[in-house]
Each structure stands twice: as C-alpha cells, then as structure tokens.
Amino acid sequence: MKIHILRCGEIRVSSTVPFGNAISAVSTARQLAEPDRKRVALPVFSYLIEHPNGLLLVDTGWCREISPEGVYDAAAVKKVLSAPLAAFYRPTLPAGEAIHEHLAARGLSPSDLDCVILTHLDPDHVAGLRHLRGAKRIVLPEDEYFWNCRAVYKARQPQELWIHEPIERLYYRGAADAPNRWAIDLYGDESVLLVNVPGHTDGQAAVLLRKGGKFVLLAADAAFSPRNWRENITPGFGFDRQQQLKSLRWIAAKAADPGCAAVLCSHDPGVLPHSIEI
Ligand SMILES: [Zn+2]
C-alpha cells in the first residue's frame, strides 16, 4: 500500500489553534480577530492511497474558487466562506495544489478514485469535493453528518460545500481499539479503518491504513503535530476538550506501537509532501 501526501493549500490561523489547550467562545473570538503577526501558516493535506481495492483519497483540501490566482484573495474567500470563517482560516491555494490539479498531474481524473473518505465536514477538508464529481464513492461517518444539526457545526461547516454531493453515510460500529470503541471497517478486512477520534468534532474519523504488521495513522485534526500527543497539549480549536484528550491518548499509544510507520496530521507544518509504502 502506498500513501502519497498531497498539499492542498494553506491556512493562516491564530497560533492558539494548534496548541491553544482551551476552547471557549472567548478564545474563538480572539482567533477570529488575531492580527497577522500572531498567526501561523499551516499546510492542508489530503492523502492519495494506492490500496489493493483501488485508489482512495482522504479529504479534499480547498477549492480553486477560494484562491483563483493561487494567492490570498480576500474577496474570493468571502464568496466561498462566511465572514467569520474567512477571518478564521485566511486560506490560500497555490497553483497546482487543488485536488483535481494534483490528480491531473498524475494522469488521473476523479472517476479513477474508488473511494473518497471525508474525515469530517470542516471546509478545509471538504471544499474540494466540487472538483471530484465522478468519483465512485464518497463516504463520511454518519455521526459527523448527524451532528451538523448543532448550531456550532452549522456555523463551522457550511452545508453548501457538501450537502448536494452524493455522500454515502457509514455507521460506526463496535471496535476494540478506538478511543470510544467505535470504528468503520471500510472493506471488512481491517485494511482501512475509520476510527472515531472525537473532540475536534463529534464524528471526526482518523484513518488507519494497515498492511501486514505495519500501519499508518492519518490523525485528521485530532492533533496538529506530534507535539500535541507527546506533551498532552490539546489543539485550541474544537468542540470538547475532554474528548480531545481521550483521542490524543489513543494516538500516543498508536504512535508508540512498533508497527507504526507514521502518524500524520492534516495541518502539520513539520511534514513535507512525500510518499510512504507499507
Ligand atoms: Zn482542518
């Protein structure tokens, strides 16, 4: 199994987002108003996976419309995101980094994708869905879809970016090895597990890719870098800090497992695009 890390744009967020250790209305308001000098530029990663059952994609990054010329464009961002989300993310999508541009550079089109897995519905993970029409399957945990009814998620996860796409909702089921003992076994052989890692959102999935005794864990936004689980620092943006801590403890245990080839976070500035084979 080969895992290719694709950079699908950038966010420029408050430095309290990756390591803030607290979530409240006040901290969120501060993050929206944070001046440029206190912001950090973080990558937005998607993952293309060559699996024996076909090509998988995990998350989609930003859409081209948010950054038509490949540079920061405040007016274009506001056509895609609400004013608060635009202020929170300050996104950029350089030329060649939109998901369909990555696919085209590899001689692929969306119809070559057997499954697109969405870890959660925040816009930096799903805005590129519009470029993937023709993919054979798009899957999302039902819990993530269900909880979008909550006001806080409705504000965070603009429905127009995903509600009209043909998303197949999969149910978490009992699993021994997961923070809340919930996971989705995509192919029934434990080679692709969507493990519920709640806290950032209720329904968020990490994706555990397993081949033989080796595995790679795509931690989504449960952590922003290894520092989160090594020092037990929760990210400063999310929904439930206690659940974030529980998810971090599980990730720390996976990272310490001798079978672990890598734990990758969706916004880790310490990671450069590369490929991993297990
Ligand atoms: Zn994210």
Side-chain angles (χ1 to χ4, degrees), residues 11 44 89 120 122 124-125 200 204 220-221 224 266-267:
I11 54 179
V44 176
Y89 284 111
H120 62 299
D122 282 348
D124 48 323
H125 299 257
H200 182 72
Q204 178 179 244
D221 289 6
F224 279 65
S266 296
H267 306 293

Side-chain angles (χ1 to χ4, degrees), residues 140-158:
L140 173 77
E142 166 63 26
D143 258 61
E144 182 68 10
Y145 194 99
F146 177 84
W147 284 114
N148 182 258
C149 62
R150 229 176 217 156
V152 62
Y153 291 131
K154 272 196 178 144
R156 268 175 73 177
Q157 304 177 335

Side-chain angles (χ1 to χ4, degrees), residues 78-95:
K78 283 191 187 156
K79 285 183 192 160
V80 179
L81 299 177
S82 65
L85 286 176
F88 177 81
Y89 284 111
R90 293 209 196 160
T92 307
L93 184 61

Side-chain angles (χ1 to χ4, degrees), residues 137 140-144 168-190 192-198 202-206 250:
R137 287 176 87 184
L140 173 77
E142 166 63 26
D143 258 61
E144 182 68 10
E168 189 184 331
R169 288 135 64 185
L170 304 180
Y171 285 89
Y172 285 121
R173 296 180 188 277
D177 184 13
N180 278 349
R181 304 203 182 282
W182 259 12
I184 295 161
D185 186 352
L186 190 65
Y187 294 124
D189 60 2
E190 300 199 343
V192 182
L193 286 169
L194 280 65
V195 178
N196 182 217
V197 283
D202 287 86
Q204 178 179 244
W250 180 79

Side-chain angles (χ1 to χ4, degrees), residues 56-79:
L56 314 180
L57 183 74
V58 175
D59 288 338
T60 75
W62 294 115
C63 55
R64 175 49 62 216
E65 289 78 358
I66 214 159
S67 181
E69 305 301 325
V71 294
Y72 179 66
D73 181 336
V77 173
K78 283 191 187 156
K79 285 183 192 160

